[in-house]
Amino acid sequence: MKKLIASLLAAILFMAAVSSVTTHAAALGSTDYPAFSSFSGTVEAVQAISRTPAGHAVTPGTLRITIINENGGRAIFITTPDAFLADGVNLTVGASLTGWFDTNAPTNRAYPPTYDAIAFTLYAEGPPFVKFDRFDENLLSFDGQLKLNVSEDTPIILQDGTEFQLFGQTVEEALANRKLLVFYSITTRSIPPQTPPDLIVVFFEIAVHPIGVLPPYFELPTVTLPAQIWLPSLNDIAVAGEITDVLNLAGGDQTIVIRMAEGGTAHFVTSVDTFVDAGVMIEVGARITAWFDARLPVALIYPPRYHAVALTEYITEFIPAETDGFVAGEIIGVFRLMGGGQTISVRTATGSVAHFVTNDETIINVTLETGSWVTGWFDGNAIIPAIYPPRYQAIAFTEYFAPFIPECDDSIWIDDNYYFWFDEDDFSWVQDIFPPLGTLVLLVVEGELVGEVPLHYTERGIVLVPIRAVADALNVTLGWDGDTSTVTWGDVSFVAGEDTYAITGGAEITLGTPSTIINGRTFVPLSFFHTVLGMNNAFFFEGQIDINNFEHMEIWIDEDGFYWFDEDDFSWVQDIFPPLGTLVPIVVEGELIGEVSLQYTERGIVLVPICVVADALGVTLELDGEAGTVTWGDVSFVIGEDFYTIAGGMEIVLGTPSTVIDGLTFVPLSFFRIVLGMNNAFFFEGQIDINNFERME
């Protein structure tokens, strides 16, 4: 971080003290959205960080600066050593600062907002005033609110504090379309206001040739430079794909939506800083390679949103169709076929196997040999034999793109908050996902900032919330029986330390995590508010706990997957599963039983014919036709209801009732794991698998 020269700002302050001319002009009511904006206030916290919330490493020396303004609002600035510090600025608690940021750069959707800091200046009510913008060839700011009258005596420096060289250009030519941080003390009363700047700081940007007239003491090189030059750095990452949408933003910036070659979608925000290679067309249908800086923080949303460093020619040969499926994993066998072609056996990270048959039309972008990790693609609409392992005609083989390969002793845990892996013998990875236990985090209830609460979570990463803080925010009176340690919230009650949450009327819900008392306060798992109380949203996201009854955020998680979809349009479910009624293999205790009709709810919850599984396990089901009751050992349920009763009176609610389809009784897939206690029950890569093998977490 570079400092301004102290004498320059000392001169500025002197000019401000003696000036009697009108000061900072009022806004002109421009309708253009500013390219750069700021947030001013007092530094509340300074924290050194080593990685983003998504786990990506950041530049050494990166800081997390929290600023609070006079109205109690907060903003967070992620500050790298490249951020510019005006003279006198100290990034310490209590300092009065203004943080500047790019309004078109991606940011989070949580409170408080998080920005990538471009610069920090001192915050004061009076002069010197500061303007951060681009200026045109007449030195009028892009937002039309300030015009610069530059003289020979105007100090102009680069971001590193060195003198700015004109190299034979006029001042207007040299500064046109550049990012400028302008310090000034007086303006005219004209529209737009004009000012003789006290100091201009020119920010570094990617050079685009020609950059102007070379000084006379330089000789022109003998080689001819191309029109534009750009080479990726070690931190730049490429995404190749097809443009599916282009959204124009204020100031000439754009958001480009790319369907990636490896599947999925990504958004790239371009600006005047984005390098665009010659021949690249930014239009729907064009295939391009987009580059982003992996060091920059990315909001934890889907689709991911990046600031585009560069757009270059497309460098991958294959983009899957919307109907194409894939299997990502390690090649465990390569077998040559008579007449040409090969059979490639791929084992996924979870242990399942798939066979791919290649031919002359198969696109191969990787080395197909035992031990290689690849992604095999196939036509999702093609008919394949109902056998295990499945056998596909390979469309293409591309690089393996799964973000993580688990080890044998790793576990996967899913709750309302995150989907993540960790070593079950070492929970240190949880510390990388969450701040340390007891860290104060923001609690937002019904859109209102309640305050800060201590963050607690289990070894499995389940976030715990102090129930009274939420109850007080919702004006709910909690009941407490000290003799039995029973908490009552309306018609819901539970005993602190137990995992049974009872609803008046007899229904009992288990969440897999008991409530607990920490430092005299009762904590419940975050899912309590969604699953037990029925509130629409309860999640821990980007460092804050948010609980509300706003529009339901459709994040649905079960044994089948982790996915989002529009609750008014369930077509996305059709992209996850084959059509309803498709015959799929069912494997019980490692044996292929046959095929069953695939059924699932609008929420994507897979349903399984209970009699097929019972027959495979040698269990005799009892059916009471009059009461509509099915009994499996000491478990019974009424068809069409969502109460699964275990002998002794305990009832479990799964969120999905049993049902009858074509004369067969279907239960949700989770019935076998949660109610019967079997180790594994999942729908994966086109087949239903239920077993008591080693538990797949």
Side-chain angles (χ1 to χ4, degrees), residues 320-337:
E322 296 290 348
T323 57
D324 289 345
F326 69 89
V327 174
E330 180 184 10
I331 296 179
I332 59 174
V334 178
F335 309 95
R336 298 191 179 278
L337 303 176

Side-chain angles (χ1 to χ4, degrees), residues 469-544:
V470 181
D472 290 346
L474 295 173
N475 295 318
V476 173
T477 301
L478 287 179
W480 169 254
D481 184 339
D483 294 334
T484 61
S485 298
T486 300
V487 179
T488 303
W489 177 312
D491 60 354
V492 174
S493 62
F494 60 90
V495 176
E498 297 184 2
D499 186 26
T500 301
Y501 303 86
I503 301 175
T504 301
E508 293 183 341
I509 298 175
T510 58
L511 299 176
T513 303
S515 57
T516 187
I517 296 178
I518 303 174
N519 297 328
R521 306 173 72 179
T522 301
F523 284 71
V524 293
L526 184 55
S527 57
F528 168 85
F529 301 97
H530 171 71
T531 305
V532 179
L533 296 184
M535 298 188 70
N536 283 352
N537 301 300
F539 52 87
F540 178 75
F541 185 65
E542 295 196 345
Q544 75 181 36

Side-chain angles (χ1 to χ4, degrees), residues 147-458:
K147 185 179 185 303
L148 307 182
N149 294 327
V150 180
S151 69
E152 294 181 355
D153 298 328
T154 302
I156 306 176
I157 63 173
L158 285 168
Q159 187 176 345
D160 61 0
T162 60
E163 183 180 358
F164 179 72
Q165 301 291 333
L166 298 180
F167 291 144
Q169 297 175 298
T170 66
V171 171
E172 290 77 10
E173 291 172 339
L175 298 182
N177 301 319
R178 296 294 298 268
K179 286 191 294 189
L180 306 180
L181 185 66
V182 179
F183 295 84
Y184 63 100
S185 302
I186 58 175
T187 65
T188 65
R189 297 181 183 273
S190 60
I191 298 179
Q194 301 183 37
T195 184
D198 301 327
L199 176 68
I200 298 175
V201 181
V202 183
F203 274 65
F204 297 132
E205 301 184 65
I206 298 175
V208 178
H209 292 273
I211 60 174
V213 180
L214 291 171
Y217 49 83
F218 276 84
E219 294 184 2
L220 290 175
T222 55
V223 294
T224 302
L225 293 173
Q228 294 178 316
I229 296 176
W230 184 80
L231 292 174
S233 71
L234 294 176
N235 300 306
D236 293 332
I237 294 179
V239 170
E242 179 179 342
I243 297 177
T244 60
D245 200 4
V246 178
L247 307 174
N248 293 319
L249 306 175
D253 295 349
Q254 293 177 312
T255 294
I256 301 173
V257 182
I258 296 179
R259 180 162 59 87
M260 298 180 287
E262 62 269 27
T265 300
H267 291 187
F268 283 84
V269 178
T270 67
S271 67
V272 294
D273 295 329
T274 303
F275 175 87
V276 180
D277 202 359
V280 169
M281 303 297 293
I282 303 178
E283 59 186 24
V284 174
R287 294 185 172 189
I288 66 172
T289 298
W291 298 81
F292 65 92
D293 188 338
R295 297 171 299 176
L296 298 180
V298 179
L300 292 174
I301 58 176
Y302 181 83
R305 186 178 180 90
Y306 307 104
H307 176 74
V309 175
L311 304 177
T312 61
E313 294 182 355
Y314 182 70
I315 58 173
T316 304
E317 299 179 10
F318 171 75
I319 293 181
E322 296 290 348
T323 57
D324 289 345
F326 69 89
V327 174
E330 180 184 10
I331 296 179
I332 59 174
V334 178
F335 309 95
R336 298 191 179 278
L337 303 176
M338 295 183 62
Q342 296 174 311
T343 294
I344 309 297
S345 297
V346 176
R347 181 176 57 203
T348 70
T350 56
S352 62
V353 176
H355 297 321
F356 286 88
V357 178
T358 69
N359 57 26
D360 293 338
E361 298 179 355
T362 303
I363 298 173
I364 301 175
N365 290 338
V366 292
T367 301
L368 299 181
E369 59 184 25
T370 301
S372 297
W373 286 82
V374 301
T375 300
W377 296 88
F378 60 89
D379 184 350
N381 290 330
I383 299 175
I384 62 171
I387 58 175
Y388 180 83
R391 189 178 184 85
Y392 305 109
Q393 176 63 53
I395 297 175
F397 281 97
T398 61
E399 292 183 358
Y400 180 76
F401 67 87
F404 176 76
I405 303 173
E407 301 293 339
C408 293
D409 60 349
D410 289 342
S411 300
I412 185 168
W413 283 87
I414 305 172
D415 73 337
D416 298 304
N417 316 306
Y418 280 106
Y419 178 99
F420 53 89
W421 295 82
F422 62 89
D423 185 335
E424 64 182 354
D425 298 322
D426 176 7
F427 295 109
S428 59
W429 210 81
V430 175
Q431 302 297 329
D432 291 339
I433 298 173
F434 301 117
L437 285 167
T439 299
L440 293 179
V441 297
L442 298 179
L443 173 64
V444 179
V445 179
E446 296 292 6
E448 297 293 331
L449 178 61
V450 175
E452 294 181 323
V453 296
L455 177 64
H456 289 279
Y457 44 85
T458 70

